[in-house]
Amino acid sequence: MSDVLPPVLEIVGRIPLQGEVRISGAKNSALVILTGTLLCGEDCHIRNVPRLMDVESMMEILTFFGLKIQRQGDTLDVDARHITQSSAPYELVSKLRASFFAIGPLLARLGVARVPLPGGCAIGARPVDLHVRGLREMGAHVHIEHGVVHAVVPGSSRRLKGAKIYLDFPSVGATETLMMAATLAEGDTTIENAAQEPEVVDLANFCRAMGAKIRGAGTNTIQIVGVPRLHAVDWSIVPDRIEAGTFLVAGAITQSEISIFPVVPDHLTAVVAKLEEMGHRIVQDGLNRLRIVPTDCPQAVDIETLPFPGFPTDMQAQFLALMTLAEGNSVVTETVFENRMRHVAELKRMGANIRLRGNNALISGVPLLSGAPVMSSDLRASAALVLAGLAAEGKTLVQGLHHLDRGYDRLDRKLQGLGAQIRRLETPEELAHIPQLALKEI
Ligand code: EPU
C-alpha cells in the first residue's frame, strides 16, 4: 500500500472575494463530444476542453479504442480514422460512467461493441436500461453477460436502422447515446421525451458540424436522418453552466460581487431565478458575462431538482450549502438521483441545521458555520463543502479531492484569483497533523 497521503484543501473562511472568473468548457459536453469523435472517420479539432481528471480518463479510453489524441493547451486533436478495438475494459469504464456512452458511436461505426456495465456510483444505481432498449429498437442484438453489454448489428450492411424511440425518463446519457447512434443509421430516428440539457444541444451541434442531420435538439423531440459518414470538424465546447453556477453561489455565500465569463445566460435560468428569489441581484454585463450583486440578508428558498430547464441536480449540493446560511427555513428536494444527499452529514459537522427525510433536506438557516475537517462523497458534494468552507468561521479541511479534480478545472486556483485563502496541502510535512477521515459506509 502506498504511504503517500492524499492532498487536502485548506480554506480559511469569511474572506471577501472580488473579481472575475474565467469559466472553462463544460465537463459533460466535453466527455460526450469526445465519445462522439468515434463517429468521425477524419480529424476532430476540439477547443475549450477543460483540464479535468475525467477528460484524462476519457482520453485513455479513446486511445485504447485506437484513436490518436494530442493535447495542446485547451485543444485536443483527435484522429479517429482507425478504430482498432470494439471492446472496452472494465478497469477503464468503471473509472468513468460517461465512457459507457461510447457504445452508441462504436455500434454505429463498427456494427459491434462490447462495453462493461458501468455499475452504480456514489449518487445512485444509475442503470443503462434506456440506452440498451433504444439500441435494440434500432435493430441491434444486445445481450448482457458477465457484466458486459454485447451489442451487434445483424445483416451485411452492419448499419443500425432508424426507429421511433420513446424514453421513459429524459435521460441525458440515453439521449446522447441514441442520438449519436442514429447519425450513421439507415433511415430516420425520432427520440421522444428526449433530454433538453445544453450539453445534448452542444453534442447535436458538434455532430451537425460533422455533417449529421439532426433537428430539435434542445426540445423534447429530436429527429435524426441517418447519413453514411461524417467528416472532419473544428468545434469549441460550450461554457460549463455548473462551474458558472458554482461561482455564482461562491459570490452569494461570501456576499461578494463576482463576475463570470464566458457563460450562456440561458443555460443558467433556473439557478439565476433561485438566487434572485433569495434577494441577490444577477446583472448581465454584455452577451456572455454575468455578475452577482449579493444581498446581505439572503432569504431561504425551496428547491426541487428536475431535468433541464428545471433546477439542475448538479447544483443541488451547492445550493444546499447556501441555504444553511439563509434567513428562514427551506426544503431542498432531489428527484433525479436516489442517493445524492451525502454532503448533508458533512455540512452538519460544520454547524448547519439540516434534517434529512429521504430525499428532502429540511434546512433552518443558522447565522454562522464553523470550519471543520470534512470528507467529499462525490463531485458536487466536494464543491458544496468548499463553498461552505469559504463562508465558515475558521479553517475547513476538505478531503477526498479526487472527486473535485474529476470535474472542476482548477477550482482552488480560480478561487485564489478571487482572493480566497485556499491552498492544497500536499507535502508530508503539511499533511502530518491533518486527521485522515474516511467516508462512512451506508
Ligand atoms: N436512468 C435510468 N436508466 C437509464 C439512464 C438513466 O433509470 O438508462 C436514470 C438514472 O438512474 C437517474 C436519472 O435517470 O436517476 C437521470 O440520469 P441521466 O441518464 O439523465 O444522467 P447521466 O446521463 O448518467 C448526466 C451527467 C450528470 C448529471 C445528469 C443529470 C454526464 C457525463 N453526466 O448523467 O453529471 O447529473 O446527466 O443531469 O453527462 C455531474 O456532472 O456531477 C454529474 C453527475
Side-chain angles (χ1 to χ4, degrees), residues 27-29 31-32 54 58 96-101 121 123-133 169-176 195 197 199 240-242 306-308 312-314 335-338 340 378-380 407-408:
K27 167 180 84 89
N28 290 340
S29 259
L31 293 176
V32 72
D54 272 6
M58 186 60 90
L96 179 64
R97 184 191 151 77
S99 60
F100 183 80
F101 304 173
C121 73
I123 61 177
R126 306 185 76 178
V128 289
D129 52 314
L130 300 174
H131 306 236
V132 168
R133 203 185 307 161
F169 181 88
S171 153
V172 173
T175 303
E176 293 171 340
E197 269 67 4
E199 296 75 22
D240 194 312
R241 65 193 167 104
I242 306 301
L306 286 171
F308 192 86
T313 172
D314 294 344
T335 74
V336 178
F337 289 108
E338 65 272 23
R340 208 176 199 182
D378 69 78
L379 168 60
R380 307 304 172 186
Y408 281 94

Side-chain angles (χ1 to χ4, degrees), residues 220-234:
N220 60 8
T221 305
I222 303 181
Q223 289 171 310
I224 305 115
V225 179
V227 295
R229 69 190 59 80
L230 299 177
H231 55 68
V233 63
D234 186 331

Side-chain angles (χ1 to χ4, degrees), residues 5 12 23 26 56 87 114 142 185 210 217 240 246 276 288-289 300 366 368 417 425 428:
L5 294 172
V12 178
I23 302 302
E56 297 296 322
S87 317
R114 278 180 290 273
V142 186
M210 293 193 291
D240 194 312
T246 303
E276 287 181 339
N288 54 4
R289 190 184 301 267
V366 293
L368 200 57
L425 308 180

